[in-house]
Amino acid sequence: MRDYFLRTKRLGFSIWNRVDVKYANSLWGDQNVTKFIVADGKMSINQIQNRLDRELEMYNQYYIQYWPVFLLKTNEHVGCCGVRPYNLKENILEFGIHLKSNYWGKGIAQEASHAAIDYSFNTLGVNRLFAGHNPKNTNSERLLNKLGFKYTHKELYPPTGLKHPSYLLTKQDYEQR
């Protein structure tokens, strides 16, 4: 049984740890997920381990990460959702979510996103959240719009080599939704 620092009706947010390799492999080893994250569409075992290591380091350094998310009812790992540094000087974090493909279309992305956004503004006290998505991922575009993010520009995302549509959600816009 995992400890959850944040819960929604169906989901529990935890902290990545070194023994979570199986969860990392099942998420970032899914080409349906990684086709939007890396240029060649798939992550090697080493890339997955490096990604997990970055999440662990992010937590050690900033106490934030793209936290692993589980179904409360079954303890099944569904993906990750959270924040990472974007522009610390201006108190802006980058929001992101990666869900295993068999959990797409079930409202989990929106539920997890609302929880991570609420946590970011209310607990972490950020000023703004930045988010971007692969230009081929229209579902992410739709989600960000539903969440209240506003398109601002295109920004090169080195892992894909593409200019990703980029968005901001301000604290003021968050409070008005």
Side-chain angles (χ1 to χ4, degrees), residues 8-58:
T8 68
K9 184 178 177 181
R10 297 183 292 171
L11 306 173
F13 286 68
S14 188
I15 307 294
W16 287 107
N17 59 62
R18 295 225 173 270
V19 298
D20 287 337
V21 172
K22 66 181 177 186
Y23 298 132
N25 284 334
S26 66
L27 175 62
W28 295 310
D30 181 344
Q31 289 185 31
N32 290 312
V33 175
T34 56
K35 69 182 177 185
F36 297 118
I37 299 174
V38 293
D40 68 0
K42 59 185 178 179
M43 293 175 82
S44 69
I45 295 295
N46 285 341
Q47 287 174 305
I48 294 168
Q49 183 63 56
N50 288 341
R51 177 62 194 243
L52 178 59
D53 290 344
R54 284 196 322 269
E55 295 298 337
L56 296 170
E57 180 56 33
M58 189 86 53

Side-chain angles (χ1 to χ4, degrees), residues 74-89:
T74 62
N75 292 314
E76 291 173 73
H77 178 244
V78 299
C80 64
C81 181
V83 291
R84 61 184 175 204
Y86 180 72
N87 181 337
L88 294 178
K89 186 177 177 184

Side-chain angles (χ1 to χ4, degrees), residues 24 80-81 83 88 91 93 99 116 122 136 142-143 149 177:
C80 64
C81 181
V83 291
L88 294 178
N91 199 19
L93 296 179
L99 283 186
N122 298 323
K136 298 172 189 166
R142 201 168 18 261
L143 176 64
F149 281 82
R177 67 181 174 113

Side-chain angles (χ1 to χ4, degrees), residues 66-136:
Y66 283 15
W67 300 289
V69 179
F70 298 82
L71 291 176
L72 291 172
K73 197 173 194 175
T74 62
N75 292 314
E76 291 173 73
H77 178 244
V78 299
C80 64
C81 181
V83 291
R84 61 184 175 204
Y86 180 72
N87 181 337
L88 294 178
K89 186 177 177 184
E90 294 187 30
N91 199 19
I92 303 171
L93 296 179
E94 180 175 348
F95 164 80
I97 182 167
H98 301 155
L99 283 186
K100 294 179 182 179
S101 57
N102 54 323
Y103 294 101
W104 295 354
K106 301 178 187 310
I108 290 173
Q110 194 164 354
E111 186 175 334
S113 296
H114 278 297
I117 290 167
D118 292 347
Y119 186 83
S120 296
F121 284 114
N122 298 323
T123 303
L124 300 176
V126 301
N127 293 330
R128 289 173 276 177
L129 288 173
F130 167 86
H133 68 83
N134 187 303
K136 298 172 189 166

